[in-house]
Structure formats: structure tokens, C-alpha cells
Amino acid sequence: AEASITANLQSMGTNIITISPGRGMPGGGGGIVREIRNGAIQESSSGNQEEVVEGDLYFEDVTALKKEATLLNEIAPVLTGRSSTIAYMSWSGDASVTGTNEDFLSVEGYEIAEGNFITASDVFNLSNVAVIGSTIADDYFGKIDPVGEVIKINGKNFVVVGVLDTIGSSGFGSSPDETVYIPITTAHYK
């Protein structure tokens, strides 16, 4: 059965599965289904309008998926949609802040230009560390190496541990180059 599921997923050209909280439909139908195929998001909906119970996703779900879902190589939870005030010395502005974990880079296919990405230890310890996009690095730091510098996110201190390689627009509203990444636990609990 496992080989059959793997073959079916590979035949669709899908290498990322997105699980989002929300409403589901009985029998797997209804609602909006989003999948990524060859880098493009495709949406479809079914006509079934009967609703099942609305659900939430928790960190325990990530742990369970990592433990039980043997066909998944990496699990990268993402907490998005947080526009925050970012400040460094006299510079201040708004930027998107995304909470995630150590698997995010490989899941998204991003690269680090300098420094490091968020670690499992950062997530576990609710560390105040940040990885910044290349545009934020250029706009706020210019020729100064941002790694090791302290920025403020909504008034709280975060140490910059890394800078993403330039990625360009993702086509989904915000660019990774203009985003700050922090541990998902820090984003959720602090």
C-alpha cells in the first residue's frame, strides 16, 4: 500500500503537501483543495456542501506527523500573516514575520546566504533569533554584516543568526526577501 501511495503522489508531480486548519467535508470531498504541482498552486472545489467539524492544528500534530507519517521527509509548520514593526538602530518599518522550524529551508528549497537558519534547539527553547530576507538585510544593514546584530520585532530583541539568499517574489503576496523568520514556538508563545 505504501508503494502505491508513493507512486500515486509521484505521478501527480506533487512534492509538497499542505495541511491547513479549517473546515473539512465528509468523504474527503467539498471545500477548497490546494496542491502544488511543478511550482504552481492549483485549486479545485467539489460540490459537496455538507460540513464536518472545524479543526485546529497544534504542535502535537507536527510531532505526530514526524513520528507516524513515514512517507514524509520533512515537516515545516508555518505561522504566517504577522506584519510586525522591525527596527534596527534608527531604521524602522513593517515586515512580514513568519514562525517556522528547522525543516523550512529544505521544504521550500531556500538557501542561506550567510549565517545559519533556525535550529531545533531554537524552536525547543523559544529562542529570540531571526533569519532575515535579503531585502531586509540590504535595507536595514547596508554594508554591515547583520549576523550577530540585534533587531527589534514589535519592541522585543532578536539576534540575527542568518540571511536568506535572494529568492525573488513568490507570487503569493509577500516575498521571502522581505520576510523575517523566527522559531514557530517564539512566534506562538511570546
Side-chain angles (χ1 to χ4, degrees), residues 23-25 29-33 44-49:
R23 301 180 191 278
M25 300 297 163
I32 302 273
V33 176
S44 61
S45 68
S46 90
N48 186 344
Q49 299 300 314

Side-chain angles (χ1 to χ4, degrees), residues 1-69:
E2 187 174 304
S4 174
I5 293 170
T6 301
N8 284 336
L9 284 174
Q10 288 173 339
S11 72
M12 292 187 294
T14 302
N15 59 3
I16 295 177
I17 298 172
T18 302
I19 302 171
S20 300
R23 301 180 191 278
M25 300 297 163
I32 302 273
V33 176
R34 291 183 182 96
E35 60 184 88
I36 298 177
R37 289 190 188 197
N38 301 322
I41 289 187
Q42 298 178 349
E43 292 187 357
S44 61
S45 68
S46 90
N48 186 344
Q49 299 300 314
E50 187 179 349
E51 183 177 282
V52 178
V53 179
E54 185 173 344
D56 292 325
L57 291 174
Y58 301 95
F59 295 117
E60 293 81 8
D61 297 319
V62 173
T63 303
L65 282 169
K66 283 185 174 191
K67 182 179 177 184
E68 303 293 332

Side-chain angles (χ1 to χ4, degrees), residues 150-165:
V150 176
I151 62 172
K152 289 190 181 291
I153 302 175
N154 291 338
K156 295 180 183 173
N157 289 340
F158 283 76
V159 176
V160 177
V161 295
V163 179
L164 283 184
D165 220 358

Side-chain angles (χ1 to χ4, degrees), residues 121-146:
S121 177
D122 293 330
V123 173
F124 181 79
N125 293 314
L126 288 79
S127 299
N128 282 18
V129 297
V131 176
I132 59 177
S134 60
T135 300
I136 291 177
D138 291 343
D139 289 351
Y140 285 76
F141 295 94
K143 295 183 188 267
I144 298 171
D145 181 2

